[in-house]
Amino acid sequence: MADIISVKSQSRTHFVNITSSVSEHLPKNFSGVCNLFCQHTTAALTINENADPDVVRDVDQHLEQLIPWRNPEYQHMEGNSAAHIKSSLLGPSLTVPVENGKMLLGTWQSIYFCEFDGPRSRKVTIQLCPSL
Amino acid sequence: MADIISVKSQSRTHFVNITSSVSEHLPKNFSGVCNLFCQHTTAALTINENADPDVVRDVDQHLEQLIPWRNPEYQHMEGNSAAHIKSSLLGPSLTVPVENGKMLLGTWQSIYFCEFDGPRSRKVTIQLCPSL
Amino acid sequence: MADIISVKSQSRTHFVNITSSVSEHLPKNFSGVCNLFCQHTTAALTINENADPDVVRDVDQHLEQLIPWRNPEYQHMEGNSAAHIKSSLLGPSLTVPVENGKMLLGTWQSIYFCEFDGPRSRKVTIQLCPSL
């Protein structure tokens, strides 16, 4: 059965580090793939640097530059087309390798929930598939 | 063995909702991960809103704005570099959670095949991996 | 256990075709999903055309146009924000279908390691999950 991770974003765009929440769902003896899935169309999942908070700030800001919140071309009435576009660009699913209950992330990698139309309460599903 | 979903796109860019085609391949008692893979380099897969068709229209149009069909910088002779670039940005693979034969999609989420150099006949593979 | 593929990039941006390296890790009787994961925050994985080298050149160059190396908006001190942004856009993980030890790639598809801050020595993990 899929587990659920709950995320509360605090602003319109907000990159929330969920690495430790994901880790809590990994049994010590599990080796395989951790499948993460974002159940929202105005948010996404990504992996990026955790050491300097300016890295995800720069990712967030540059996405804003490429996909501005206001654009006379957008036709979706709700006014949040930018969030939907960013959601498709970063994507809803990630697959992370796990060995003996520990994710094989690189030294600087953390997993981020990317809010693009917050603040909101959000959900990420987590499933574990054994590997050979 | 992998199953195949066939998709027929109707125009140069076309977001085709394939959610119900994917659902047909899920056995009622299956819980795990549904792995979708697009076998083409000028197309992609994404998940986005299904309620207002203007959402995928806006995604499509904004990608066109960021990656115009004509650009003097492109060197690929075939003339469809824009389609290849969009394909890499949205990506060829998605992993979707399933419980008891039903995908755990959010309320507004549907799965789209994204055509960027149509109209064409296309293929998406589907594989089911059991989870713990 | 996860296997590791080592990649050596030769320039700041470099798309390295790793398809044959991945193939070497697939047992002849394996059918299921090949999970690839890039352990770096200034690199990514993608799938695109292998026939004309101008295709990945155009992807590389257009990303450079959208996300220039220098931009007065970037605040990350290390000066490689562009590489981090590209990494999130293309993404760290791919899932590729395999049948009887052969990847079900389309005729023109190859798997690329995308270096955005090289030259460097890099690692990609590979895990195999059996499917139904």
Side-chain angles (χ1 to χ4, degrees), chain C residues 3 13 28 36 43 52 58 70 74-75 94 96 107 112-113:
Chain C
D3 275 349
T13 65
K28 272 185 190 164
L36 300 171
D52 178 358
D58 285 353
R70 290 179 197 286
Y74 300 151
Q75 297 192 359
L94 284 177
V96 182
T107 315
Y112 288 90
F113 178 88

Side-chain angles (χ1 to χ4, degrees), chain A residues 45-91:
Chain A
L45 296 174
T46 198
I47 288 179
N48 220 310
E49 190 187 307
N50 49 28
D52 178 359
D54 278 341
V55 169
V56 292
R57 195 217 72 102
D58 285 353
V59 175
D60 184 5
Q61 285 301 299
H62 199 75
L63 286 175
E64 191 74 16
Q65 202 172 306
L66 292 173
I67 307 141
W69 187 256
R70 289 178 197 287
N71 181 335
E73 302 290 330
Y74 301 149
Q75 296 192 2
H76 177 44
M77 292 293 229
E78 235 186 301
N80 60 354
S81 288
H84 287 289
I85 297 163
K86 292 173 184 175
S87 173
S88 275
L89 282 174
L90 265 59

Side-chain angles (χ1 to χ4, degrees), chain C residues 102-131:
Chain C
K102 280 196 66 176
M103 285 188 280
L104 297 180
L105 293 168
T107 315
W108 311 105
Q109 288 183 312
S110 278
I111 304 167
Y112 288 90
F113 178 88
C114 310
E115 175 63 74
F116 296 126
D117 189 22
R120 298 208 205 193
S121 293
R122 303 292 210 169
K123 281 177 186 171
V124 175
T125 71
I126 172 169
Q127 287 170 303
L128 305 177
C129 292
S131 59

